[in-house]
Amino acid sequence: MYNTRMTCLPCDFYLRTAPEVARALLGMRLVRDLDGSRISGKITETEAYDGEADLACHARSGKTTRNAVMYGPPGRAYIYFTYGMHWCLNVVTGAEGSPAAVLLRAILPLEGLELIVSNRKGLPENKWTDGPAKLCKALAIDGSLYGAALCETGSPLRIEQDKPVTDGEVVVSPRVGIQYAPEPWLSKPWRFRLMSE
DNA sequence: ATCTAGATGACCT
DNA sequence: GGTCATCTAGATG
């Protein structure tokens, strides 16, 4: 029995390498507090981006205004804007000073369904939160939440402990959308997915 | 089912 | 000026 819904994962949870955190986040619950209403979903897909050496990571060119939060303490939100219209959400991992993060790529809606519906108007249910920019739209996540402490109760955006998943339910594969990256980064098995039934 | 084109602006060289 | 950790609608088999 996992009656741990309201417990945030502690900041120390993120004090590991990005691939370790990416794997461990599967099954946990992403929670958005919006005007007193609760929207949440089970994390079902993640990707790890691991430091300046990782030539697919946004920190590959050093510290900038955009990626600065990755250089800070773990457990905070690195949110970036891309393709002229999309927001994407990451969790910062590792010790302060070492830039790394985990991209949240998909969730399964659990609470606040009526708000998700209104944010994803007209689309079929299976397309509500099955991509990194889609889940941000569904949960009303944008740049105003940059740096939010995901490991603190009371934060408008946080990650709560939930039922862990077994290795048998997890599919590991290379990261997507980084064709520009050279080997070995292109093929690093740092994408983690929960199998769907 | 799978493919393609266009959106649209911040970021980097 | 080219690229981008993407998404959607529309076309086609």
Side-chain angles (χ1 to χ4, degrees):
Chain A
M1 148 99 147
Y2 293 86
N3 191 14
T4 50
R5 268 185 46 202
M6 308 298 277
T7 307
C8 267
L9 293 170
C11 296
D12 279 359
F13 178 90
Y14 305 98
L15 198 51
R16 295 181 266 176
T17 69
E20 286 175 301
V21 174
R23 164 63 183 84
L25 278 175
L26 292 178
M28 302 299 114
R29 184 180 300 235
L30 177 65
V31 178
R32 173 82 168 106
D33 240 323
L34 193 61
D35 305 323
S37 297
R38 199 178 144 99
I39 316 177
S40 78
K42 173 162 121 176
I43 297 173
T44 56
E45 183 177 344
T46 59
E47 273 179 4
Y49 289 88
D50 199 17
E52 293 181 347
D54 174 8
L55 294 182
C57 180
H58 284 170
R60 62 184 177 275
S61 301
K63 187 174 179 177
T64 66
T65 316
R66 177 168 80 147
N67 66 24
V69 73
M70 291 178 83
Y71 288 77
R76 307 226 295 226
Y78 166 44
I79 297 170
Y80 67 89
F81 185 70
T82 191
Y83 292 104
M85 65 187 83
H86 299 306
W87 294 100
C88 293
L89 169 67
N90 297 250
V91 197
V92 174
T93 70
E96 182 158 2
S98 78
V102 171
L103 173 67
L104 301 189
R105 292 192 56 88
I107 63 173
L108 205 59
L110 292 173
E111 302 168 87
L113 299 190
E114 59 292 327
L115 286 169
I116 292 180
V117 170
S118 72
N119 290 336
R120 304 285 295 141
K121 227 191 295 273
L123 291 166
E125 183 172 351
N126 62 318
K127 299 286 184 60
W128 285 348
T129 54
D130 65 333
K134 297 183 198 180
L135 73 88
C136 284
K137 190 109 206 307
L139 272 59
I141 295 167
D142 63 21
S144 65
L145 291 165
Y146 186 91
L150 302 179
C151 51
E152 282 179 13
T153 310
S155 171
L157 184 64
R158 55 191 189 272
I159 299 176
E160 292 176 358
Q161 186 178 337
D162 211 308
K163 185 182 176 183
V165 302
T166 64
D167 285 344
E169 306 172 80
V170 177
V171 181
V172 183
S173 61
R175 296 171 290 181
V176 299
I178 55 159
Q179 304 315 308
Y180 61 88
E183 297 291 1
W185 313 108
L186 181 58
S187 300
K188 288 281 185 190
W190 287 350
R191 181 190 189 196
F192 301 87
R193 271 180 295 168
L194 204 48
M195 273 195 287
S196 42
E197 50 269 60

